[in-house]
Amino acid sequence: MRIKVLEKLKFIDLSHSKYLIETPDFSGVTNLRRLVLEGCVSLCKVDSSLGDLKNFSFLNLKNCKMLKSLPSSTCDLKSLETLILSGCSKFKEFPENFGSLEMLMELYADETGCKGPPSTFWVLPRRISNPIGPILQPLSGLCSLVQLKRSDCNLTDESNLSSLGSLSSLQWLDLRRNGFVTLPSTISLLSNLEVLALQNCKRLQALPPVLPSSLIKLYVANCTSLKDFSRQVLKSLLQTWELQKHKLMDYHNYHSFMELFAFIPGSRIPDWIRYQSSGSEVKAELPPNWFNSNFQAFALSFVSFPQFILIKFVVHATFHCTSSDNSPSFDISTGNLIIIATELESDHLCLFGVPLLR
């Protein structure tokens, strides 16, 4: 089936067309930019003419349960920025030269069912002669990628995770519910990474000694094998603050924020957090001239008990500052920090930093 010539058409949405088996010929819609086929559960084939669309930038194939592959012409989509394959449970392989898509910024390939090995792209899927699980191949061609979702993909320590370090533009990395024990040190090379999601990686025992200097948010809820690393996490977050405070804050007098945080397994507040209380208020006597050039941030934390439903924490902190010499008192209030957590299997520690800038 061929779409008649519609030169000005830019967007097609065929979501949930449950009887659609094959996409039409796209040669008549040369200016098409977005195609949404989400929930087309019978779709088996994407027409190769898709590769002729020079301005095409967005393809959503989420939950196309029967789709096994993409045409090789997909690699000709030099303007493609977003590809969504989440939930394509029978998806077997990516095209040979998929790594040449230099404009690709967002790739969602979680809960796919890869079973056949491509020779040059980044996933060598499970097969009889390769029982250890998927293997990541070099990713350097995807230099514009800013979001990568590879949750539920059976990634292990044998999956060559070190190749992730070549994704120089990556800002958001989702590796939830995988089977690796450690993360490679090359993660620290992701100089633009702001969010790292590792929830429910049950075998994960350790993080790299150095986390990316750009990291703002770290999620490791239900990583039940992790050793205590709360001090390491806060140190990395404070390094982020020192390197990027000019980006993270507006320069107002006595301004603060809570954007640096981690949610990690733990049942007690670390001893190095000096002032502790069982209530919602903590009193601390600070040394004279504490607010100087050496001050980095206040470290705050709380412990949450197991929850088996969706929960949302809204954290707000107010610092009421008084002086023993009768100087005027003042308050410093933070914005709200919102944490979404699901089905916590054990106690968890929320650890966050509140940098202040005067």
Side-chain angles (χ1 to χ4, degrees):
M1 179 178 67
R2 178 175 177 177
I3 301 176
K4 67 178 182 179
V5 177
L6 297 170
E7 292 183 354
K8 295 184 178 181
L9 186 65
K10 295 182 179 180
F11 179 34
I12 295 177
D13 187 349
L14 297 173
S15 300
H16 307 290
S17 299
K18 61 181 180 180
Y19 298 114
L20 183 67
I21 298 176
E22 181 178 347
T23 67
D25 185 328
F26 297 104
S27 57
V29 286
T30 53
N31 285 306
L32 189 68
R33 296 185 179 182
R34 296 172 63 92
L35 176 61
V36 179
L37 297 168
E38 181 176 341
C40 294
V41 293
S42 300
L43 184 68
C44 295
K45 182 180 179 182
V46 176
D47 193 84
S48 61
S49 58
L50 184 72
D52 298 327
L53 304 177
K54 302 304 180 185
N55 298 313
F56 191 75
S57 62
F58 182 93
L59 178 57
N60 184 352
L61 294 163
K62 184 177 181 179
N63 291 328
C64 291
K65 303 294 186 181
M66 301 302 294
L67 187 67
K68 297 180 179 180
S69 63
L70 292 172
S72 58
S73 62
T74 304
C75 303
D76 297 326
L77 295 171
K78 301 305 181 183
S79 296
L80 186 64
E81 296 178 354
T82 302
L83 174 60
I84 303 173
L85 292 165
S86 304
C88 295
S89 54
K90 290 191 176 181
F91 192 83
K92 290 185 175 180
E93 59 184 0
F94 291 87
E96 290 270 334
N97 297 314
F98 196 86
S100 65
L101 292 175
E102 295 184 355
M103 294 301 293
L104 189 65
M105 298 177 66
E106 300 182 31
L107 176 59
Y108 301 90
D110 51 309
E111 300 182 53
T112 55
C114 297
K115 293 184 179 178
S119 59
T120 61
F121 183 49
W122 58 287
V123 178
L124 178 59
R126 180 186 294 274
R127 52 178 174 168
I128 294 176
S129 59
N130 175 37
I132 60 176
I135 295 179
L136 299 182
Q137 297 294 346
L139 303 169
S140 55
L142 303 177
C143 57
S144 296
L145 197 67
V146 297
Q147 294 194 34
L148 176 60
K149 188 172 184 179
R150 290 298 290 162
S151 58
D152 298 288
C153 289
N154 195 33
L155 299 177
T156 67
D157 286 350
E158 290 78 21
S159 297
N160 190 23
L161 294 172
S162 60
S163 62
L164 291 169
S166 64
L167 298 175
S168 57
S169 299
L170 199 64
Q171 298 175 11
W172 185 81
L173 177 59
D174 183 351
L175 296 174
R176 293 174 295 164
R177 294 184 294 275
N178 279 298
F180 44 80
V181 176
T182 60
L183 280 176
S185 59
T186 54
I187 291 291
S188 65
L189 300 177
L190 299 176
S191 58
N192 291 296
L193 189 69
E194 297 181 353
V195 179
L196 178 58
L198 300 168
Q199 298 99 308
N200 293 288
C201 291
K202 304 290 189 182
R203 300 182 61 207
L204 181 63
Q205 295 181 8
L207 295 177
V210 179
L211 294 170
S213 59
S214 54
L215 192 65
I216 294 175
K217 299 180 181 179
L218 174 66
Y219 299 91
V220 286
N222 293 329
C223 293
T224 51
S225 298
L226 265 178
K227 308 294 189 296
D228 178 47
F229 63 104
S230 56
R231 187 183 291 271
Q232 174 201 355
V233 169
L234 185 64
K235 181 179 179 181
S236 294
L237 295 180
L238 290 177
Q239 287 174 343
T240 295
W241 154 244
E242 283 299 308
L243 292 170
Q244 303 203 39
K245 58 186 176 184
H246 62 288
K247 298 180 182 178
L248 295 173
M249 295 183 62
D250 295 323
Y251 288 85
H252 298 301
N253 288 335
Y254 300 115
H255 182 73
S256 65
F257 69 108
M258 289 190 296
E259 279 297 320
L260 311 178
F261 77 92
F263 200 53
I264 61 181
S267 58
R268 62 191 300 268
I269 294 174
D271 293 336
W272 52 266
I273 293 184
R274 185 179 305 173
Y275 303 101
Q276 302 187 16
S277 170
S278 59
S280 60
E281 180 178 306
V282 177
K283 293 184 178 181
E285 183 175 344
L286 301 177
N289 303 316
W290 62 271
F291 200 9
N292 55 38
S293 59
N294 294 322
F295 176 83
Q296 289 183 298
F298 287 113
L300 306 179
S301 71
F302 65 86
V303 174
S304 172
F305 54 85
Q307 301 279 348
F308 298 99
I309 57 174
L310 175 68
I311 55 175
K312 179 171 75 171
F313 299 104
V314 180
V315 184
H316 178 87
T318 298
F319 299 90
H320 180 66
C321 302
T322 60
S323 174
S324 59
D325 61 4
N326 295 320
S327 299
S329 62
F330 61 93
D331 290 343
I332 304 173
S333 294
T334 68
N336 289 338
L337 171 64
I338 299 177
I339 305 170
I340 305 295
T342 57
E343 298 184 356
L344 297 180
E345 298 175 6
S346 62
D347 292 346
H348 274 68
L349 175 71
C350 180
L351 179 69
F352 50 97
V354 183
L356 305 179
L357 182 64
R358 185 172 62 184

